[in-house]
Amino acid sequence: MSIQPGSDGHKDMFCRQFIATHETWDPHTLPGPDLTPAELERLRGVPFWQEVFHTERRAGAIVAAFTPTIDDPLVREATALQGVEETRHALLIRVMIDRYGIDATEQPLETLPANIETAFIDFGYGECLDAFLGFGAFKTARESEFLPASMFDIFDRLMHEETRHIVFFINYMAWRERQRGRGAAPFRAMTSAWFYGRAMQRLLGMVRRGQDQNDGQNFAVTQANMFLEGFSFRRFVEDCYRENARRMSVFDPDLLQPRLLPAIADKAAFGLRMWERARPNLKRASLKNAA
Ligand SMILES: [Fe+2]
Ligand SMILES: [Fe+2]
């Protein structure tokens, strides 16, 4: 990176690039692919519509509430556009719900925390975690041909905007920390590890709640099997890593990118590959010893 993270030049660059790459589109006018009855059933059976719809609405509300509190006009302008995009994501999900008769309803949003900046930061790290895992899950779903490719193209638009958001957020955090005299890399690493920990806790809580709610409900075993047939955890981790690299490759290399999760995934994938290679030998050795 040739620009000092957190400097005014850095701020100008990451905000202006975010503003310049904002696209204008309307969820109502996107083509809605026709689905076969089987595809329609699979689409309706996906167990996380409710959660995704709520998360996007909440995202729009957090960003919209945080935006007017930002002093810097350029950062405020860019963040306002993120709010527009989050609100549009919720609208896209709403259009899908109506068009395909999906069972999900608008639930009241929780009261936003008093410290809206902390809420925005928690939300930002949550997005980094969700997007990274989502990259791998999206690839698995696409390859399983769970739904027609034209449907994935619609969601790809959303994934691309989420990728823009996390790049913007990571750069925003570097700038913000520098303003507070904590711009050095070790400080930034500590801050992100702390917030990732919180994001992980929230994600695990959500998975647990989802399991309780979906117990015996509509995500039929056959549908789950479409995703999970031949599922390999090692391959999923590798997919997250590779998809992250692919999606990040379109951004200006001078921008900061999320580093912690790809680094963990890379090490985990290496460990899992070693384990898979060593396992047959270990098995043979233990059988020999037992004989
Ligand atoms: Fe979103
Ligand atoms: Fe987002």
Side-chain angles (χ1 to χ4, degrees):
M1 183 162 182
S2 52
I3 294 183
Q4 178 71 34
S7 63
D8 279 350
H10 173 237
K11 178 198 75 181
D12 278 359
M13 181 184 63
F14 76 80
C15 289
R16 289 194 196 288
Q17 288 198 18
F18 187 81
I19 294 166
T21 53
H22 170 72
E23 288 175 7
T24 318
W25 55 277
D26 178 356
H28 289 107
T29 57
L30 283 186
D34 288 330
L35 299 182
T36 65
E39 287 166 344
L40 192 58
E41 197 187 327
R42 287 204 289 270
L43 181 78
R44 288 176 179 160
V46 171
F48 38 74
W49 282 110
Q50 187 73 58
E51 190 74 36
V52 171
F53 185 40
H54 192 76
T55 303
E56 293 293 359
R57 286 176 55 234
R58 187 169 169 275
I62 290 175
V63 181
F66 175 55
T67 301
T69 70
I70 302 169
D71 289 333
D72 186 280
L74 190 58
V75 178
R76 193 167 60 236
E77 185 186 344
T79 312
L81 282 180
Q82 185 185 349
V84 169
E85 292 180 12
E86 298 295 13
T87 304
R88 189 167 56 188
H89 292 170
L91 182 60
L92 172 65
I93 306 293
R94 168 92 262 166
V95 167
M96 302 292 285
I97 289 170
D98 292 343
R99 189 175 283 163
Y100 296 105
I102 294 163
D103 182 21
T105 51
E106 206 166 291
Q107 291 176 332
L109 290 175
E110 310 83 355
T111 317
L112 295 178
N115 188 334
I116 193 66
E117 190 186 24
T118 306
F120 177 77
I121 294 172
D122 269 330
F123 155 70
Y125 280 107
E127 282 215 293
C128 291
L129 180 61
D130 292 350
F132 189 73
L133 298 175
F135 292 155
F138 193 75
K139 183 157 187 279
T140 308
R142 194 168 198 145
E143 283 174 355
S144 72
E145 296 177 1
F146 184 74
L147 291 168
S150 50
M151 190 62 98
F152 284 107
D153 292 343
I154 294 180
F155 291 116
D156 205 55
R157 198 180 267 269
L158 195 146
M159 295 291 282
H160 174 64
E161 288 188 347
E162 294 304 358
T163 316
R164 291 174 65 252
H165 296 173
I166 63 177
V167 171
F168 174 72
F169 174 71
I170 290 295
N171 284 274
Y172 163 80
M173 280 305 288
W175 172 75
R176 177 197 184 268
E177 293 299 278
R178 174 96 187 260
Q179 305 296 303
R180 284 161 178 74
R182 294 196 301 257
F187 278 125
R188 283 194 277 129
M190 258 158 44
T191 307
S192 61
W194 158 256
F195 279 102
Y196 272 126
R198 285 161 64 99
M200 187 66 91
Q201 271 176 355
R202 263 195 316 277
L203 182 66
L204 291 175
M206 194 193 87
V207 169
R208 242 173 273 133
R209 279 198 309 280
Q211 273 174 346
D212 292 346
Q213 277 168 15
N214 284 298
D215 230 7
Q217 273 187 23
N218 47 18
F219 198 50
V221 177
T222 47
Q223 293 179 19
N225 277 351
M226 272 197 86
F227 280 115
L228 298 178
E229 209 173 325
F231 179 84
S232 143
F233 182 63
R234 190 255 306 152
R235 210 166 53 220
F236 174 71
V237 174
E238 286 174 345
D239 279 349
C240 291
Y241 180 83
R242 278 199 215 113
E243 279 294 286
N244 178 73
R246 183 180 71 80
R247 288 181 182 273
M248 289 296 165
S249 68
V250 301
F251 291 89
D252 183 339
D254 272 344
L255 291 171
L256 295 171
Q257 294 181 1
R259 294 268 172 239
L260 187 63
L261 295 179
I264 293 172
D266 193 27
K267 296 222 163 41
F270 177 77
L272 289 165
R273 276 196 299 274
M274 289 296 109
W275 166 246
E276 280 176 15
R277 237 171 265 164
R279 201 168 44 177
N281 297 333
L282 292 172
K283 223 177 186 177
R284 237 175 281 138
S286 73
L287 284 174
K288 222 177 187 179
N289 287 342

